[in-house]
Amino acid sequence: MVFFTQDDIDNLISEDVPYFDLTSSLLDIDTIPGKITYSTRDATVVCCVEEVERIMHRFGLKIISNTSSGKFLDKDVLFLEASGPASYLHVIWKVTQNILEYSSGIATRTYKMVKAAREVNPDTVVVTTRKHFPGSKKLCIKGIIAGGAMPHRLGISETILIFRQHMNFIGGVKSLLDKISDIKKRIPEKKITVEVESIEDAIMMAKKGVDIIQFDKLSPDEIKKSVPSIKQCGDQIKIAAAGGVNLANIKEYVEAGSDIIVLSSAYFGKPADIKVRLTPLGDKDER
Amino acid sequence: MVFFTQDDIDNLISEDVPYFDLTSSLLDIDTIPGKITYSTRDATVVCCVEEVERIMHRFGLKIISNTSSGKFLDKDVLFLEASGPASYLHVIWKVTQNILEYSSGIATRTYKMVKAAREVNPDTVVVTTRKHFPGSKKLCIKGIIAGGAMPHRLGISETILIFRQHMNFIGGVKSLLDKISDIKKRIPEKKITVEVESIEDAIMMAKKGVDIIQFDKLSPDEIKKSVPSIKQCGDQIKIAAAGGVNLANIKEYVEAGSDIIVLSSAYFGKPADIKVRLTPLGDKDER
Amino acid sequence: MVFFTQDDIDNLISEDVPYFDLTSSLLDIDTIPGKITYSTRDATVVCCVEEVERIMHRFGLKIISNTSSGKFLDKDVLFLEASGPASYLHVIWKVTQNILEYSSGIATRTYKMVKAAREVNPDTVVVTTRKHFPGSKKLCIKGIIAGGAMPHRLGISETILIFRQHMNFIGGVKSLLDKISDIKKRIPEKKITVEVESIEDAIMMAKKGVDIIQFDKLSPDEIKKSVPSIKQCGDQIKIAAAGGVNLANIKEYVEAGSDIIVLSSAYFGKPADIKVRLTPLGDKDER
Amino acid sequence: MVFFTQDDIDNLISEDVPYFDLTSSLLDIDTIPGKITYSTRDATVVCCVEEVERIMHRFGLKIISNTSSGKFLDKDVLFLEASGPASYLHVIWKVTQNILEYSSGIATRTYKMVKAAREVNPDTVVVTTRKHFPGSKKLCIKGIIAGGAMPHRLGISETILIFRQHMNFIGGVKSLLDKISDIKKRIPEKKITVEVESIEDAIMMAKKGVDIIQFDKLSPDEIKKSVPSIKQCGDQIKIAAAGGVNLANIKEYVEAGSDIIVLSSAYFGKPADIKVRLTPLGDKDER
Amino acid sequence: MVFFTQDDIDNLISEDVPYFDLTSSLLDIDTIPGKITYSTRDATVVCCVEEVERIMHRFGLKIISNTSSGKFLDKDVLFLEASGPASYLHVIWKVTQNILEYSSGIATRTYKMVKAAREVNPDTVVVTTRKHFPGSKKLCIKGIIAGGAMPHRLGISETILIFRQHMNFIGGVKSLLDKISDIKKRIPEKKITVEVESIEDAIMMAKKGVDIIQFDKLSPDEIKKSVPSIKQCGDQIKIAAAGGVNLANIKEYVEAGSDIIVLSSAYFGKPADIKVRLTPLGDKDER
Amino acid sequence: MVFFTQDDIDNLISEDVPYFDLTSSLLDIDTIPGKITYSTRDATVVCCVEEVERIMHRFGLKIISNTSSGKFLDKDVLFLEASGPASYLHVIWKVTQNILEYSSGIATRTYKMVKAAREVNPDTVVVTTRKHFPGSKKLCIKGIIAGGAMPHRLGISETILIFRQHMNFIGGVKSLLDKISDIKKRIPEKKITVEVESIEDAIMMAKKGVDIIQFDKLSPDEIKKSVPSIKQCGDQIKIAAAGGVNLANIKEYVEAGSDIIVLSSAYFGKPADIKVRLTPLGDKDER
């Protein structure tokens, strides 16, 4: 469940339907009763079905059958069906297809990576970065949750993640080490994550009590080498691998000993392929 | 130029910064003067520089140098630079990087496809579908225009595009043929596009005066076969190829004789890789 | 059907009801069950009934009877009726009356002009300019569609209409002639309209393949004189008459041979006169 | 001064420019420096110049000269001028013209009626009803204030105006009379206005201490007859004439002895005619 | 009844639930059917029950029992109860509790002051200033109305209240006296209130026909002394006491002869204490 | 720094100024140049100065002097001063005063409690609950940060806080104990807080590895008794005291050994008293 406001829903509709549907109105099909169906073309984790249903309700369509976001479906499964006048079926057609395809694409990519990671270590946690499509964060977050991941950070107001770009302003890694215990004292309700680019830095941070060591763009091998020394500093310290993780290499990162996989690659890529059919009620033809 | 409202800009910021920057505030770096620079890591058509500048102005940053959206840049080119207090540099960092990377990714993919198409036929027109990321239409549209394409339709209120899904409601292709001349009479300011899935349908539509024949998911070979018969119906009739066109096959579709290439593939894929550095003013270090 | 967002509807209400209804609350009539009825005082094409119903639903009123936007009604026809507590009936009273009166005024004026035009030539198309009331475009567009017209352009992002004000920047009419074929090539999915102020310019444009010649503020006589020469350049070229067309002169413009009538006069003028009565349930009195 | 939010301004722009300016971009005139000028074609009270300037600033245009809303200008007076790149001049052209024409139309009609009324009685107060264009209230209110009137009520939350439609729910005029003193006690900071349709009702209300007697659709003659009896009940009681007042009959209503003229006719009617010219900088041509 | 837009409601939810409920989702309790109940812990005038119900409807919860805003309830009274899945009960929990507690706190404080005032003089009118919590005006206004007060002014656009800060710009109290009759003439539909800080000024204003004399921060004794002289100027002149009125001193201000009590103290103070329980359906435990 | 959107700022203005300033316009003072000054009446931590400055810039006022949010000021210190036309000074007067008074009230109460707590233990952390004024969260959060506290949770999407109301759905405290290690595994980037109402529960939770034990409404004495046993389970476990903490008792809660003080009382109470003066430029008078 991700909360979409009415404004979120209406804006999605307005992008495609600023005023009305010119083509349908010229064809004089407005009041013909019809049906719209949505089916998978490939194995898919469907997402945003609930938001599509809200759009359907907006136009008075009747939901005949549906499923829940997060469900894994085989190919060629009809998972959503609604009826109503042809005018409204055409109005919602592409908007709803687009929402389903993009969010299910994210969910399915996430699902595959989570599955791959857990085949190696069932306790691995997959989280996604803030590199979501700008302007579409709720849809992206719903997608990755539906696929079995969690957001790494929802924004910069509630988590502490210290980057090299921060250290540049305090005098480098060394100066940060001097500050860690103070930061921990000031914000005892949060864990402290530091992104590092070398094993040496990682170990120094771990010794200072940093909760999560995040490696940026290290190879699985490099991470593997660092794990024992870090875990020696405290078993509760978590190792996160970030930077370029994708379906092709995620298993290696898990095998290397990462507790947490931080990735962006779930967000982008081809949308899921959802087949949508609009037919008059009673019609037998299949497209 | 795509018009972003202040609300569009503020919403992009709020996605990442709902309240404040927790990490920076804990590091006590708020008022240190610094600089942010953006450079390409690959050859890139940059996009949404203007929107990033508006975000910078919002926080009182000073633009030192910049470039325009739509510019093709080689790799390792610094194209945007601004200065201001560290707190604001960190606040805008990821938001602006995200906007640049996603929109420039779209622009660069578009650019490559347009270039490929025009190498075959310099008069080919590349247009993009409504399958943009839901909720981020302005950014997607700005991206494809920056890359040299145009939108196929900006929504369903101003263009006529008749799909099989419409014909289902009027009794099929034959019934549509009977209606074409009436539709043309009723909407003389617009061209009529019909999407067809076979050469036979295409020729019948062309004979009835349809302005643009859009082939959905036909192979380049099939399109090639249909061109002479269609053009015979009128030289001004345009042939559009849609459905699965991408960088790998676009040349074949142009060679087949398509006047217009309709594609969605520019919208999705990996964001451009933009290197962002934040440093204190006067700092010499390179990351 | 024009899509109004929930925000559109709520803003219409808030204009008149920022907080509550002071008068009704002082009269202690809040919970008395009552009825609200809307009738025409003149022959009227009613409009925005659906939006008024949404406002009624917002306050939990029960619709007893209604009609559809676009219906032509004789005078003294009751076309909408709802019941609910007196407080809510009074809250929605003037807002709903205002919406109905303004949009039905536009619809009725449009209807009369379309009717007049088609008495001369049943194939004439009436379209309306962008000179709608600023801030109320959806209501204006719904009004003219209800009256039988179509929008000329919904905005400047999807159509090509070249004015003298554009030519000023490219070196005048002659320079435009040199560019026409290039523009047509670049945007093959759209028709090109050029607004001209003389017959000479019209003929030159027609020869270059402009799709629609729009005359600005020419007299019907002048247009009449130009028609044969323009149609000689191509039977598919359309002639649009714009600038000062209204109910008094529209027939002359159609008789002159205009294919398309472009007008703004439908937007402004007296709102329709809708009689609204609020009575307690069971009450026999007529006002 | 009426307060327009940034959202108000941006929405006005977005109505006409949802994305970009297609025509200008095809003409490749984007960066040519130019000038836009606005002049009256008739004697006009100009309005919303400040809002137009905000739109100009939005696009970085430079204001060369301007005037203030509420100024009475003769015909053929240039009152606003700005410069900037051709692309932005064309983007703002029609939006700004529309805002100026509609609001100045309201201001000018108001001005004429106020002037006419005050020629008869310089103390007459002209106020306008809530029958403004739905969705454009701020622009309408700015218009009538610029023309010399004031709003009768800005909404239903802060004033007391009792209509027949209220009396229907409390048992008619008689029951209202019994409640007047109670209402006055409960809301001592407001004046009480009652709308009546007969002289008898007016006198009864005046006797009970109603502050303002508003006559709905009475003729000037009928009002004239009632004035002495009402004023006898208290010199401070004001008489308002409402319902169908316009430029043709306003003087008669003032002569009849109305203290306050309540009208809607200022809101609708033909927009003012503002001539707008766009030219390249340095250009000598006059259109 | 105060009109909250859908946006108002959605924004209240979004403040607490920007995306989803992390805790509930980790506990895997999402679909367990449960119940939420709200009870008073002290005698309370409850408020914003209707808005809480709208939030409940938003998430598909079923209202089992409720009461109306403005109702005085003893302590330990269950006044609202709803059922639905545990996930949604937890999502709405704190948001709804917060809304009820703050608005009922305002309503209850208002109620106590109105009651105290009317024990001295049943005709006293209590009104509240514009010093509401910034950003939450509707909730504050609903609270004070529920408690029996009315807003003094809903904003600065519809009432006339002249402060010392205005007089500073016209040359002081004397200059204002010269303008009063002109202002009354220009705005005959409104009462004129002037805030004064001395008895002398009060009497001068009263003589000039000011409708309401508002004393700022005078002691009850000082007000008492001024009443006879003011009332001598006209029995209809109202005396308003403003500045520091609260539950401890309100009776003295009424006894002093104030007709109207203007206060801000209802807005701030401890929220009402509302006990909220969430339990699985069928559960017997009391917390 | 808390990020307020332009919409946030404009909405604050619109609450008080829906259209225009009636009083000022009737006094004809619009264009008189003047000055507005803001001073403390008591020792105050000022807040939201930056937002007030944005409002001033909105109306073209010139800032003469200012200070930063979070500054502790003695009584009678002038901390903000601006100049501009009288009309705009009056328009912003009460809006800006309200924003400053409410947010500075929160900041000052927070400051006092933080100071008191740190006098006992300088490492104590004070955080505030989600019980902020509904609809005004940003202003509340800015207030408590200015006063030296931090938000406990910014919403329910990014933190884990398990209440009794959650345990009701999983079978009580015991069942939660069984789930703790699983939750920790699933969400390794976050700390787990559990709110308990008894010492026994606290110890059981501590043994299971809960990061923060939050006591709800326990007395300082009870907390004191539990501290040693909890800390024995792990020195890194933090003890948070919540429920009824205020300036009167905060020291006792710190003395009891709480690491974190969770409170709501900073949010409500009397706004700070800010003296605002508006005077014509050059004026010598002091109010």
Side-chain angles (χ1 to χ4, degrees), chain E residues 76-213:
Chain E
D76 295 325
V77 175
L78 188 158
F79 63 91
L80 180 60
E81 188 174 4
S83 65
S87 52
Y88 293 134
L89 298 178
H90 277 94
V91 157
I92 67 153
W93 172 16
K94 290 284 182 184
V95 180
T96 55
Q97 186 174 10
N98 236 12
I99 292 171
L100 290 168
E101 290 194 347
Y102 272 95
S103 66
S104 302
I106 293 171
T108 306
R109 278 189 298 276
T110 304
Y111 171 84
K112 285 178 185 166
M113 289 192 277
V114 170
K115 193 159 165 283
R118 295 206 174 142
E119 280 167 13
V120 179
N121 176 359
D123 286 348
T124 306
V125 165
V126 176
V127 296
T128 56
T129 70
R130 291 178 294 142
K131 230 185 222 330
H132 56 81
F133 206 105
S136 300
K137 184 162 184 168
K138 286 186 183 176
L139 196 146
C140 292
I141 295 301
K142 180 150 184 169
I144 62 103
I145 292 178
M150 288 295 273
H152 183 38
R153 315 171 76 189
L154 277 172
I156 63 175
S157 304
E158 283 211 2
T159 45
I160 300 130
L161 174 46
I162 302 168
F163 287 100
R164 171 65 178 268
Q165 312 276 15
H166 290 103
M167 300 180 212
N168 289 347
F169 284 86
I170 55 169
V173 175
K174 292 276 151 57
S175 310
L176 178 59
L177 291 169
D178 298 342
K179 278 171 167 282
I180 293 292
S181 81
D182 175 57
I183 295 172
K184 292 190 71 163
K185 217 179 276 166
R186 283 168 66 189
I187 200 92
E189 299 181 297
K190 310 276 182 191
K191 292 197 172 175
I192 314 294
T193 305
V194 178
E195 191 177 276
V196 296
E197 290 154 52
S198 76
I199 303 182
E200 296 66 41
D201 287 0
I203 292 168
M204 286 192 296
M205 292 298 162
K207 283 185 178 153
K208 282 290 180 184
V210 162
D211 298 293
I212 298 151
I213 305 296

Side-chain angles (χ1 to χ4, degrees), chain B residues 213-216 223 239-243 245 253 258-263:
Chain B
I213 306 296
Q214 180 166 312
F215 285 113
D216 183 38
I223 291 178
I239 295 165
V245 185
Y253 277 101
S258 316
D259 301 294
I260 302 164
I261 302 293
V262 183
L263 52 80

Side-chain angles (χ1 to χ4, degrees), chain C residues 3-48:
Chain C
F3 177 61
F4 283 73
T5 66
Q6 192 56 50
D7 220 39
D8 291 328
I9 297 292
D10 283 355
N11 286 344
L12 288 170
I13 301 170
S14 298
E15 280 190 338
D16 204 41
V17 193
Y19 296 93
F20 60 99
D21 180 0
L22 179 57
T23 304
S24 293
S25 79
L26 288 167
L27 291 170
D28 301 318
I29 58 175
D30 278 13
T31 57
I32 304 174
K35 201 171 71 175
I36 188 165
T37 60
Y38 302 77
S39 326
T40 56
R41 284 194 207 268
D42 302 297
T44 306
V45 177
V46 286
C47 189
C48 286

Side-chain angles (χ1 to χ4, degrees), chain D residues 214-230:
Chain D
Q214 179 165 314
F215 285 113
D216 183 39
K217 296 185 182 167
L218 258 67
S219 69
D221 269 7
E222 290 171 297
I223 291 177
K224 194 169 208 163
K225 266 181 265 168
S226 77
V227 171
S229 344
I230 291 173

Side-chain angles (χ1 to χ4, degrees), chain B residues 144-251:
Chain B
I144 62 103
I145 292 177
M150 287 295 273
H152 182 39
R153 318 170 73 189
L154 277 172
I156 63 176
S157 304
E158 284 209 4
T159 45
I160 300 130
L161 174 45
I162 303 169
F163 288 100
R164 171 65 180 265
Q165 311 277 15
H166 290 104
M167 300 181 211
N168 289 347
F169 284 85
I170 56 168
V173 176
K174 293 276 154 55
S175 311
L176 178 60
L177 291 170
D178 298 342
K179 278 169 167 285
I180 293 293
S181 81
D182 176 57
I183 295 172
K184 292 190 72 163
K185 217 179 276 167
R186 284 168 67 189
I187 199 92
E189 298 181 298
K190 310 275 181 190
K191 292 197 172 174
I192 313 294
T193 305
V194 178
E195 188 176 280
V196 296
E197 292 154 52
S198 75
I199 303 182
E200 296 67 40
D201 288 359
I203 293 168
M204 286 191 297
M205 293 297 161
K207 283 185 178 153
K208 283 289 180 184
V210 162
D211 299 293
I212 297 151
I213 306 296
Q214 180 166 312
F215 285 113
D216 183 38
K217 298 185 183 169
L218 259 67
S219 69
D221 269 7
E222 290 171 295
I223 291 178
K224 194 169 208 163
K225 266 180 266 168
S226 76
V227 172
S229 343
I230 292 174
K231 293 288 180 177
Q232 228 173 0
C233 302
D235 201 45
Q236 79 292 343
I237 301 173
K238 300 293 176 191
I239 295 165
V245 185
N246 53 43
L247 186 54
N249 61 21
I250 192 167
K251 286 193 169 189

